[in-house]
Amino acid sequence: MVITFFEWLRSQESIMNKNGRVSAIILAAGKGTRMNTNCPKQFIVMDERPILYYTIKSFEESSVDEILIVTSQAYIEYVQKEIIEQYGFGKVTGVVCGGNERYQSVYQGLLKLEHTEYVLVHDGARPFIQANLIDQLIAEVKSYEAAILGVRTKDTVKIVDETGYVVSTPDRNLLWNIQTPQAFAYDLLKSAYDKVIEDEVIGITDDAMVVEYATNHPIKVLEGSYRNIKITTIEDLKAESFQGL
Ligand code: CTP
Ligand code: MG
């Protein structure tokens, strides 16, 4: 195929413009204190492979262009050798060191990913995410610049005061349990994080909260799957499906 100089120039420009590149940050720098196991929960072996393996595999099978893993210093070599090299995950372009809090780990990931247009942030401890849902979320972020996964709340939720009495019952039709991945235009998320860090905001529990705090940008919620749980306590794992505690 012969291309003209101008076509070539345009293609170079679109590379410089990040060209719709989609990157995923997979978080695996937590200690898993609520799990009460010897190793952090993302490394617990489930059906012969560490939980983080299943998480990375779904992203590898999705249409993301690259995957960045954030883990603690003590696990960088393990992740590189025993997970990425062992299972040949070709989309992983780096393993970087996270921080003490989740938002600090995300920020370390964002600092490494300057040349991307869209970024998905996902908890390493959510191994049941499926590639087709990741792809649906990517389509949403390309339209809305901010899109997150959630499921409709099944339980009745009540606001309870500090002394243990019911204050009110929010309309369940408006309540969602929010999950990851959460996807954003890179520049939107990075500048929102810069502001949250500068303002020393406390109590941040997900990435959408960062965008809510720093901007008025609408955030689209895409209906996800009840299977996409975050492994948090030991009850979240069936006793027969893991070893190596
Ligand atoms: N995470 C991280 N860096 C941190 C804290 C959390 O990368 N400093 C990651 C965890 O590894 C996990 C995800 O963020 O994949 C969600 O966090 P959470 O479920 O709270 O995991 P932990 O912080 O490890 O668990 P705990 O709060 O019980 O200590
Ligand atoms: Mg935590």
Side-chain angles (χ1 to χ4, degrees):
M1 189 179 74
V2 180
I3 59 168
T4 67
F5 174 72
F6 291 107
E7 280 167 342
W8 175 81
L9 197 63
R10 257 206 314 276
S11 74
Q12 294 304 300
E13 268 170 15
S14 73
I15 289 167
M16 300 298 282
N17 287 335
K18 304 175 178 181
N19 200 21
R21 188 170 177 79
V22 180
S23 306
I25 296 174
I26 297 183
L27 299 171
K31 294 190 175 72
T33 44
R34 286 170 289 178
M35 197 76 187
N36 239 337
T37 48
N38 287 336
C39 74
K41 59 195 181 184
Q42 57 273 23
F43 304 121
I44 290 174
V45 173
M46 186 171 74
D47 290 336
E48 293 176 8
R49 289 171 186 192
I51 283 175
L52 186 62
Y53 158 85
Y54 298 97
T55 313
I56 299 173
K57 184 162 184 285
S58 292
F59 278 83
E60 185 86 14
E61 288 169 353
S62 78
S63 62
V64 301
D65 297 302
E66 72 174 321
I67 301 167
L68 180 74
I69 312 291
V70 183
T71 193
S72 54
Q73 190 65 50
Y75 281 92
I76 289 181
E77 202 180 316
Y78 168 79
V79 168
Q80 190 72 54
K81 294 215 167 99
E82 303 299 327
I83 302 184
I84 297 160
E85 285 172 27
Q86 168 82 7
Y87 300 106
F89 288 130
K91 286 188 181 176
V92 177
T93 54
V95 183
V96 299
C97 188
N100 283 335
E101 299 292 333
R102 184 188 185 279
Y103 77 89
Q104 292 168 327
S105 294
V106 176
Y107 196 65
Q108 290 309 309
L110 290 174
L111 293 175
K112 279 277 162 194
L113 287 176
E114 277 168 343
H115 302 292
T116 198
E117 188 165 1
Y118 300 104
V119 63
L120 278 67
V121 182
H122 185 67
D123 297 325
R126 287 186 195 268
F128 305 114
I129 183 67
Q130 291 190 319
N132 65 351
L133 215 42
I134 298 169
D135 287 345
Q136 284 176 44
L137 191 71
I138 291 171
E140 297 286 274
V141 75
K142 287 183 174 176
S143 303
Y144 300 100
E145 299 210 321
I148 63 178
L149 279 188
V151 288
R152 290 173 189 279
T153 303
K154 291 180 185 174
D155 292 321
T156 296
V157 175
K158 291 192 190 291
I159 311 283
V160 179
D161 69 18
E162 279 124 12
T163 59
Y165 288 92
V166 170
V167 176
S168 62
T169 308
D171 179 359
R172 198 174 59 190
N173 291 321
L174 299 175
L175 294 175
W176 291 68
N177 289 77
I178 297 303
Q179 308 173 336
T180 70
Q182 300 191 350
F184 304 91
Y186 176 87
D187 293 342
L188 174 70
L189 188 63
K190 173 66 167 50
S191 54
Y193 260 95
D194 286 339
K195 184 161 171 50
V196 157
I197 284 167
E198 194 187 319
D199 293 357
E200 297 177 8
V201 180
I202 52 165
I204 294 287
T205 54
D206 76 346
D207 308 293
M209 271 179 85
V210 174
V211 173
E212 289 163 52
Y213 171 83
T215 77
N216 289 320
H217 201 292
I219 301 169
K220 185 81 167 67
V221 180
L222 173 66
E223 194 143 15
S225 159
Y226 288 104
R227 288 195 63 222
N228 181 27
I229 61 162
K230 179 163 66 68
I231 292 168
T232 305
T233 61
I234 201 77
E235 294 79 25
D236 298 325
L237 286 177
K238 286 200 195 100
E240 68 273 20
S241 65
F242 67 93
Q243 319 149 11
L245 290 181

